[in-house]
């Protein structure tokens, strides 16, 4: 009798869970019903990842020479302005829009004209706009990571142009290759749950290439390489640790 009761209880529990999932995925007219917990967590994760760019500015800023600290802070913060505008206009569509091939998205979602829709692949339980915001924070911090390799080597206007072009030509296609629904690296079995390839390896290689092309700093003095402000670096490190909770856990796309 006990076994029969347990079997019936498990069957009823499974039925309730399935019905709940079906209810979540159902639509009421043209308005999809979302999971408020998933949406709330993804918005929280978006805030945490966005925090990582100012944290990176402090992390890098504490390790450069005193004369370069303001330049380093600006190199990180300017990405929050340039990349988000680019992402809204066409970057998100180029990376995650309805694909034209395994290598590229499209411009069908340019200027976020998809509105409040539900996407079964990218955001099955919350609005696609939330997913767009979350991915925007990844797009922002990636060129900011490069800034540590070129601080003191590049003027501001060329750097701003570089960020815009690099985000469009390099980051957006790479994001599609690895994270897109039909990206060619993804179809080969590549798994990147928290930016190890798209963000970290890609920005590291780009920083190495950029610093090699630009060459040595003209006023570089190896005897004065003392970190400007180690408390800045520790503060940035702690804020980055906090941000990782959204960077990694948010990549699960659910609460």
């Amino acid at each position: 009798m006990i076994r029969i009761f347990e079997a019936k209880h498990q069957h009823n529990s499974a039925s309730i869970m399935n019905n709940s999932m079906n209810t979540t995925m159902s639509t009421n007219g043209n308005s999809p019903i979302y999971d408020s917990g998933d949406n709330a967590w993804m918005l929280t994760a978006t805030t945490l990842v966005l925090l990582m760019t100012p944290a990176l500015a402090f992390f890098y800023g504490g390790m450069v020479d005193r004369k370069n600290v303001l330049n380093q802070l600006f190199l990180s913060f300017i990405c929050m302005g340039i990349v988000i505008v680019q992402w809204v206009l066409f970057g998100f569509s180029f990376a995650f829009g309805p694909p034209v091939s395994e290598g590229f998205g499209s411009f069908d979602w340019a200027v976020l004209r998809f509105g409040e829709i539900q996407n079964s692949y990218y955001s099955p339980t919350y609005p696609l706009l939330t997913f767009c915001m979350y991915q925007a924070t990844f797009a922002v911090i990636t060129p900011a990571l490069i800034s540590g390799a070129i601080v003191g080597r590049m003027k501001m206007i060329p750097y701003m142009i570089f960020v815009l072009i690099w985000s469009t030509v390099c980051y957006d296609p790479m994001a599609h290759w690895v994270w897109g629904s039909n990206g060619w690296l993804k179809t080969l079995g590549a798994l990147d749950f928290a930016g190890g390839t798209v963000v970290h390896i890609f920005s590291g290689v780009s920083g190495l290439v950029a610093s090699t092309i630009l060459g040595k700093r003209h006023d570089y003095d190896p005897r004065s390489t003392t970190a400007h402000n180690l408390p800045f670096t520790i503060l940035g490190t702690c804020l980055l640790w906090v941000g990782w909770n959204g960077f990694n856990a948010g990549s699960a796309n659910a609460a």
Side-chain angles (χ1 to χ4, degrees):
M1 290 294 292
I2 294 176
R3 291 180 179 177
I4 294 174
F5 175 77
E6 289 178 348
K8 288 184 177 179
H9 178 70
Q10 292 175 358
H11 175 73
N12 292 335
S13 299
S15 299
I16 292 172
M17 291 179 63
N18 290 332
N19 291 334
S20 176
M21 292 179 63
N22 292 333
T23 301
T24 303
M25 297 297 293
S26 66
T27 58
N28 181 13
N30 293 326
S31 300
I33 299 176
Y34 300 122
D35 186 305
S36 59
D38 286 348
N39 191 43
W41 164 241
M42 292 307 298
L43 290 172
T44 303
T46 299
T47 304
L48 291 173
V49 181
L50 186 62
L51 173 68
M52 296 182 75
T53 299
L56 185 72
F58 279 99
F59 178 75
Y60 281 163
M63 293 188 289
V64 299
D65 291 339
R66 181 181 297 274
K67 60 184 177 182
N68 290 328
V69 61
L70 291 179
N71 178 251
Q72 178 60 69
L73 294 175
F74 191 77
L75 291 179
S76 296
F77 275 93
I78 195 63
C79 293
M80 300 175 72
I82 296 175
V83 178
I84 288 180
V85 172
Q86 183 265 5
W87 192 253
V88 169
L89 291 178
F90 56 85
F92 176 69
S93 182
F94 197 33
F96 296 99
V100 296
S101 69
E102 291 185 350
F104 303 98
S106 67
F107 293 101
D108 291 346
W109 289 350
V111 204
L112 308 185
R113 56 187 174 188
F114 52 82
E116 187 180 352
I117 65 172
Q118 186 178 33
N119 186 280
S120 59
Y121 184 84
Y122 296 120
S123 57
T125 59
Y126 55 90
L128 186 61
L129 281 171
T130 301
F131 178 79
C132 173
M133 292 173 59
Y134 180 68
Q135 288 296 332
T137 59
F138 282 75
V140 167
I141 195 173
T142 306
L145 287 167
I146 302 175
S147 66
I150 62 177
V151 60
R153 301 172 189 254
M154 182 182 289
K155 293 182 178 180
M156 189 55 59
I157 299 300
Y159 172 77
M160 295 168 67
I161 298 173
F162 165 78
V163 167
L164 178 61
I165 296 176
W166 185 89
S167 297
T168 303
V169 177
C170 298
Y171 180 85
D172 294 342
M174 175 62 76
H176 181 80
W177 296 352
V178 178
W179 289 330
S181 57
N182 73 326
W184 69 273
L185 286 176
K186 185 177 184 66
T187 57
L188 292 177
L191 296 175
D192 184 358
F193 292 111
T197 301
V198 180
V199 177
H200 303 295
I201 294 178
F202 202 42
S203 63
V205 172
S206 298
L208 175 62
V209 173
S211 60
T212 302
I213 293 175
L214 292 173
K216 295 182 179 180
R217 296 178 176 88
H218 295 295
D219 56 352
Y220 175 70
D221 184 1
R223 293 170 296 180
S224 63
T225 56
T226 305
H228 160 65
N229 192 327
L230 285 180
F232 266 24
T233 302
I234 298 301
L235 174 63
T237 302
C238 295
L239 292 176
L240 285 169
W241 281 345
V242 173
W244 274 112
N245 289 281
F247 203 95
N248 282 29
S251 295
N253 278 336

